[in-house]
């Protein structure tokens, strides 16, 4: 199963929605330990659920995949398997749309989504990080270029 990840960072809700639509997301799993924000009020659980549902995206919150404290690897894997089973059951209703996990950090390298992806990938799941923020995209490009020019000196 392929799972997308996304962080809203300092992006607007319109930018966030566009990224979800561009990646054909039908289910958004909120993996914040506390699904509220002082800075991005539109991401507070009730507001986010209502707004996503209005835009035909199903919202669910998963405390098991929350980052504070980070669950042990076996609990993360168990939660991923539950997500997979739920997604498989709902697949027909979702009409082929994808599932994404969401947290607040725009950069997956600075978020527990990276740990979720590591555990999942070690157990057969595939992950793709949706990057909205141009600064994060530039960082990813720099990492890639640096690796290409790494001569092991």
């Amino acid at each position: 199963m392929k799972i997308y990840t996304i962080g809203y960072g300092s992006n607007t809700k319109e930018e966030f929605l566009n990224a979800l639509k561009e990646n054909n997301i039908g289910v958004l799993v909120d993996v914040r330990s506390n699904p509220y924000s002082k800075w991005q009020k539109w991401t507070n659980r009730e507001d986010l659920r209502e707004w996503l549902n209005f835009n035909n995206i199903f919202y669910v919150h998963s405390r098991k995949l929350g980052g504070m404290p980070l669950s042990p690897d076996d609990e993360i894997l168990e939660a991923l398997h539950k997500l997979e089973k739920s997604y498989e059951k709902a697949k027909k209703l979702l009409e082929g749309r994808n599932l994404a996990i969401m947290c607040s950090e725009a950069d997956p390298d600075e978020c527990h989504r990276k740990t979720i992806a590591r555990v999942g990938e070690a157990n057969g799941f595939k992950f793709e990080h949706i990057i909205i923020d141009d600064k994060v995209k530039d960082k990813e490009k720099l990492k890639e270029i640096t690796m290409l020019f790494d001569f092991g000196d």
Side-chain angles (χ1 to χ4, degrees):
M1 174 181 181
K2 182 177 188 179
I3 298 173
Y4 290 80
T5 84
I6 189 168
Y8 55 82
S10 60
N11 294 287
T12 66
K13 71 184 199 176
E14 290 77 17
E15 292 167 326
F16 184 75
L17 180 62
N18 286 339
L20 294 176
K21 287 182 174 182
E22 286 171 11
N23 290 279
N24 198 28
I25 303 301
V27 178
L28 186 75
V29 181
D30 187 345
V31 296
R32 295 175 294 170
S33 297
N34 185 10
Y36 299 95
S37 172
K38 290 184 224 177
W39 298 278
Q40 294 278 44
K41 299 282 187 204
W42 62 268
T43 68
N44 292 339
R45 179 173 39 197
E46 293 78 15
D47 297 331
L48 185 58
R49 176 183 289 126
E50 184 179 324
W51 177 68
L52 287 173
N53 287 344
F54 177 79
N55 284 284
N56 200 28
I57 298 171
F58 181 73
Y59 170 93
V60 64
H61 179 252
S62 173
R63 213 174 291 276
K64 282 274 191 201
L65 291 172
M68 294 169 36
L70 188 60
S71 298
D73 287 5
D74 61 329
E75 288 184 23
I76 291 172
L77 184 59
E78 180 185 335
L80 287 173
H81 282 299
K82 285 182 181 177
L83 270 183
E84 181 179 39
K85 284 180 185 172
S86 297
Y87 178 76
E88 288 303 319
K89 289 177 185 174
K91 209 172 190 175
K92 200 174 203 175
L93 296 170
L94 291 168
E95 299 171 342
R97 292 184 301 147
N98 300 311
L99 180 142
I101 60 173
M102 178 205 80
C103 199
S104 59
E105 290 83 5
D107 187 346
D109 287 344
E110 297 174 7
C111 180
H112 73 288
R113 296 188 322 268
K114 183 177 180 178
T115 301
I116 294 169
R118 176 190 53 78
V119 171
E121 287 172 343
N123 290 280
F125 290 88
K126 291 182 172 108
F127 284 81
E128 183 174 323
H129 301 292
I130 301 169
I131 308 292
I132 306 170
D133 192 317
D134 286 336
K135 288 178 190 165
V136 178
K137 286 179 185 174
D138 290 345
K139 178 185 159 197
E140 292 299 310
K141 248 190 256 179
L142 283 173
K143 265 198 305 190
E144 195 173 325
I145 292 168
T146 302
M147 286 174 51
L148 291 171
F149 286 93
D150 182 9
F151 303 117
D153 298 351

